[in-house]
């Protein structure tokens, strides 16, 4: 009875795997990005970062103030600002500064990238599901313990442990999903999974903004980390006990190249030194920097420039709703085009989506609140197509035996460049302004990445990767695999005719 039920619902298993690994990734990214929204509350508790003059009265608007708080450069001036003898400013930590940038970026990225390479290598050798489950337990516990810290360095250390665990998610899950789902669904599946970055980032806004003021059980900002970590731990156990390791399969170019006796001799260094992979990696690094820059500074930027407006739920809606639609649309379009035009079409869509997103990204920083949210939504729709399509391209152009290692090395380069460059926002913002620094590291980097993706198009093979002909189609020519780039239909026909002729001549002998 149970066997029959399991057989009937077996078709749901791939969707279940996608749901479990994707939600786990969302929760890991929630722990990663929550620092950007809770930083001010944590800084006031742990005492790190910049101290500035800030508005302390939510009932007042900027237009009501005789002097804006940010104009005060010291505590005496700040505390002297008042309306009807009531001070409306406070001299306190704002959650920004070099300490915050190190906490948000380098402390996490340094470990994330190095361990990610190791995890990618191990994924090509050992059981990926069990490794993913154990890694998920590690980052879940790190998120929980982050809620109990009493010193700045405690948080830095736990961010590093969190990064070590989460670094396994992408290379391991990418390999698992690419072995379960076929090519015609691959970009959509990769898009849904990699949307976890933006899902976690989007959920961080309401969680980090609205839960700490509730001061549930007297825990303030700490309850955010306790709750996120416990839920993540549940999904870690589901990964370990309900998923199974899929059979590894050759896909894309690798499937067509298996007849080549030198295919297994290809190493990770051979793959990473290919011009198309180098260009793809550099373009992805620049695009990642733009995304990380806005992710780490978005909430703080809008709070500083538009303190009269509570944009928390709007940012959540734009990230989750609009971003989700963009992810799905990008994956579907990419899968439709790749069936007709080959892998090159994925790169074209990648370049076009980022180019379209660029002017709207500019608007999200330049405009006033209403215009900023509208343009941010349009920008997100196109911009968030990129990650899933990027990794669909990557897994289709690298050999099976180094697939996860390649993803790990790719992420190592991408995150070290794209994840660490946003720290430059701090000195640049002090030199030319906070908004102006976002124009450079957010908007301009979107544009540069789109141009680099466009140049990568010319390094990709044209045409569609056709499956190798079967022995039946070749009238008895067995155990031969062909690459569509090397064997055309006339060539196959000629080989069939030659085979028939050879067979006839042999019978005469």
């Amino acid at each position: 009875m149970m066997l029959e039920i399991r057989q009937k619902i077996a078709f749901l298993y791939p969707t279940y795997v996608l749901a479990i690994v994707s939600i786990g990734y969302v929760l890991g990214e929630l722990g990663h990005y929550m620092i950007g929204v809770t930083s001010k509350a944590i800084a006031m508790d742990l005492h790190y970062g910049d101290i500035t003059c800030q508005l302390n009265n939510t009932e007042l608007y900027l237009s009501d103030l005789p002097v804006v708080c940010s104009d005060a450069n010291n505590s005496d001036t700040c505390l002297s600002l008042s309306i009807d003898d009531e001070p409306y400013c406070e001299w306190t930590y704002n959650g920004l500064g070099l300490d915050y940038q190190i906490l948000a970026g380098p402390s996490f990225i340094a470990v994330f990238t190095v361990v990610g390479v190791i995890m990618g290598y191990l994924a090509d050798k050992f059981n990926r599901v069990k490794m993913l489950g154990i890694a998920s337990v590690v980052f879940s516990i790190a998120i929980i313990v982050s809620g109990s810290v009493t010193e700045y360095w405690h948080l830095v250390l736990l961010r590093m442990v969190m990064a070590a665990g989460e670094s396994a998610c992408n290379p391991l899950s990418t390999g698992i999903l690419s072995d379960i789902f076929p090519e015609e669904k691959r970009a959509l599946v990769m898009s849904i999974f990699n949307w976890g970055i933006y899902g976690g980032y989007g959920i961080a806004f309401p969680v980090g903004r609205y839960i700490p003021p509730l001061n549930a059980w007297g825990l303030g900002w700490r309850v955010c980390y306790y709750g996120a970590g416990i839920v993540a731990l549940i999904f870690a156990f589901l990964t370990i006990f309900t998923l199974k390791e899929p059979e590894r399969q050759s896909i894309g170019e690798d499937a067509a190249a298996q007849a080549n006796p030198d295919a297994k001799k290809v190493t990770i260094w051979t793959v990473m030194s290919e011009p198309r992979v180098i260009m793809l990696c550099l373009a992805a690094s620049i695009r990642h920097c733009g995304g990380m820059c806005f992710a780490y500074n978005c909430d703080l930027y809008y709070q500083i420039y538009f303190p009269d407006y509570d944009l928390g739920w709007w940012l959540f809606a734009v990230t989750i709703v609009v971003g989700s639609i963009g992810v799905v649309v990008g994956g579907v379009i990419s899968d439709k085009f790749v069936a007709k035009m080959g892998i090159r079409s994925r790169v074209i869509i990648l370049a076009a989506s980022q180019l379209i997103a660029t002017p709207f990204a500019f608007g999200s920083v330049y405009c006033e609140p209403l215009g900023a949210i509208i343009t941010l939504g349009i920008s997100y729709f196109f911009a968030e197509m990129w990650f899933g399509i990027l990794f669909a391209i990557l897994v289709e152009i690298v050999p099976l035996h180094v697939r996860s290692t390649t993803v790990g090395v790719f992420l190592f380069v991408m995150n070290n460049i794209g994840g660490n460059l946003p720290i430059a926002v701090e000195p640049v913002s002090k030199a030319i302004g906070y908004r102006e620094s976002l124009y450079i590291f957010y908007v301009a980097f979107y544009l540069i990445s789109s141009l680099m993706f466009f140049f990568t198009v010319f390094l990709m093979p044209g045409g569609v990767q056709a499956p190798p002909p079967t022995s039946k189609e070749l009238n008895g020519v067995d155990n031969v695999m062909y690459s569509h780039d090397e064997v055309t239909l006339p060539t196959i026909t000629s080989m069939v005719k030659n085979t028939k002729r050879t067979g006839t001549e042999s019978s005469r002998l």
Side-chain angles (χ1 to χ4, degrees), residues 394-474:
L394 191 61
V395 298
E396 288 175 356
I397 64 175
V398 301
L400 169 64
H401 63 282
V402 293
R403 184 190 300 159
S404 294
T405 308
T406 301
V407 173
V409 174
F410 195 93
L411 286 169
F412 173 83
V413 177
M414 189 178 84
N415 283 300
N416 267 295
I417 297 175
N420 288 320
L421 266 180
I423 198 172
V425 169
E426 179 63 23
V428 173
S429 65
K430 283 183 166 56
I432 64 174
Y434 194 21
R435 172 178 276 161
E436 289 71 18
S437 68
L438 294 183
Y439 287 150
I440 296 172
F441 293 100
Y442 166 44
V443 181
F445 277 31
Y446 267 30
L447 177 61
I448 295 169
S449 71
S450 68
L451 297 177
M452 294 178 72
F453 283 130
F454 177 73
F455 291 133
T456 309
V457 171
F458 301 101
L459 300 175
M460 291 290 177
V464 182
Q465 293 283 337
T470 64
S471 57
K472 182 178 180 180
E473 293 170 335
L474 290 176

Side-chain angles (χ1 to χ4, degrees), residues 233-307:
L233 194 59
I234 293 171
F235 278 86
F237 287 131
L238 288 174
T239 300
I240 295 173
F241 296 112
T242 67
L243 303 190
K244 59 183 179 181
E245 177 74 359
E247 181 181 352
R248 299 174 192 255
Q249 301 182 37
S250 296
I251 60 176
E253 293 182 12
D254 184 48
Q258 288 303 302
N260 183 355
D262 296 326
K264 286 290 184 180
K265 296 179 182 179
V266 175
T267 66
I268 179 62
W269 310 116
T270 306
V271 173
M272 292 304 298
S273 63
E274 288 186 35
R276 60 181 178 175
V277 177
I278 292 174
M279 196 67 176
L280 200 63
C281 191
L282 291 176
S285 299
I286 297 299
R287 169 59 182 82
H288 194 50
C289 176
M292 291 298 97
C293 173
F294 194 66
Y296 290 144
N297 294 280
C298 172
D299 189 65
L300 293 168
Y301 168 79
Y302 286 131
Q303 287 192 55
I304 290 171
Y305 279 83
F306 310 123

Side-chain angles (χ1 to χ4, degrees), residues 66-132:
V67 179
V68 180
C69 296
S70 58
D71 289 346
N73 348 344
N74 56 70
S75 60
D76 292 338
T77 305
C78 177
L79 298 176
S80 67
L81 300 177
S82 62
I83 296 177
D84 297 330
D85 294 328
E86 286 292 329
Y88 58 84
C89 297
E90 60 180 349
W91 184 256
T92 189
Y93 295 92
N94 65 358
L96 286 171
L98 186 60
D99 287 342
Y100 165 69
Q101 297 296 341
I102 291 174
L103 193 62
S107 67
F108 187 94
I109 296 300
V111 176
F112 183 87
T113 53
V114 173
V115 179
V117 175
I118 298 171
M119 288 295 183
Y121 174 78
L122 294 176
D124 288 323
K125 309 294 181 183
F126 302 106
N127 188 299
R128 295 165 294 183
V129 169
K130 299 304 180 187
M131 288 174 58
L132 178 61

Side-chain angles (χ1 to χ4, degrees), residues 46 103 142 145-146 148-161 222:
L46 304 186
L103 193 62
V145 179
S146 293
S148 64
V149 297
T150 56
E151 300 286 344
Y152 173 77
W153 69 268
H154 293 167
L155 197 54
V156 173
L157 183 61
L158 286 166
R159 293 277 294 174
M160 297 170 74
V161 175
R222 299 175 188 274

